[in-house]
Amino acid sequence: MPQQIDPLIETLGLSMWRVQRRIMSQNSLYKEIGLTVPQYSLLQLVAMEKTPRVIQLADKLEVKSSAVTVMLDRLELLKLVSRTTDEKDRRAVIVTLTPKGQEVLDEAKHRSLLLLAETVSILQPEELERFAAYYHMVEKQERPESPE
């Protein structure tokens, strides 16, 4: 028999999912430039990894290299990324973000933060501070050191 899940955990999980979906659906930038959510996620991953190889991107996304290649075709067509052959291994392809790609990500981040600010605006300043501290603790999976 599966382990019993606390109903509060179920409620929390559903709330987190709904908030994330609301923010993602309202941030229409990726739609405006003709990207799917997976393509947009790939663009973010390229930015985080700096100069990844296609195979590294596929591993991170847990898909085949061919799937990444198809998504990169679209990103390259929109001049958001560029691909070059690795000088050390001519079989490998390195992906880099273009200045236009960085601009798109910067704008998307700005819009996401505005939407997040709007979403949490229901909280009083002290509540927001506590919420941010708790969320950070959950993200890091460590408790802050208590003052002695």
Side-chain angles (χ1 to χ4, degrees), residues 21 79 94 113 148:
R21 291 241 343 153
K79 300 185 179 354
I94 295 177
L113 290 174
E148 305 214 15

Side-chain angles (χ1 to χ4, degrees), residues 9-25 119 135:
I9 297 299
E10 275 189 69
T11 301
L12 177 62
L14 188 56
S15 292
M16 291 171 72
W17 177 79
R18 285 179 176 153
V19 168
Q20 181 182 8
R21 291 241 343 153
R22 182 181 315 132
I23 291 171
M24 280 299 291
S25 69
T119 301
Y135 209 88

Side-chain angles (χ1 to χ4, degrees), residues 14-87:
L14 188 56
S15 292
M16 291 171 72
W17 177 79
R18 285 179 176 153
V19 168
Q20 181 182 8
R21 291 241 343 153
R22 182 181 315 132
I23 291 171
M24 280 299 291
S25 69
Q26 290 176 347
N27 189 352
S28 60
L29 179 64
Y30 67 92
K31 293 177 194 167
E32 290 171 24
I33 59 174
L35 294 179
T36 63
V37 173
Q39 289 167 339
Y40 180 70
S41 298
L42 178 60
L43 188 64
Q44 290 178 306
L45 185 57
V46 170
M48 286 187 325
E49 298 293 321
K50 304 293 185 230
T51 55
R53 291 177 169 194
V54 172
I55 190 73
Q56 291 170 311
L57 295 170
D59 287 346
K60 293 260 184 188
L61 294 172
E62 297 180 353
V63 298
K64 294 182 179 185
S65 293
S66 58
V68 170
T69 299
V70 170
M71 288 191 283
L72 287 172
D73 288 344
R74 178 75 176 143
L75 296 178
E76 198 169 39
L77 185 66
L78 293 168
K79 300 185 179 354
L80 302 176
V81 298
S82 63
R83 291 182 274 194
T84 55
T85 304
D86 188 341
E87 292 177 9

Side-chain angles (χ1 to χ4, degrees), residues 103-121:
E103 285 176 27
V104 166
L105 285 179
D106 290 345
E107 177 64 19
K109 180 179 179 182
H110 179 73
R111 288 187 189 192
S112 290
L113 290 174
L114 288 175
L115 290 167
L116 179 59
E118 183 181 312
T119 301
V120 298
S121 67

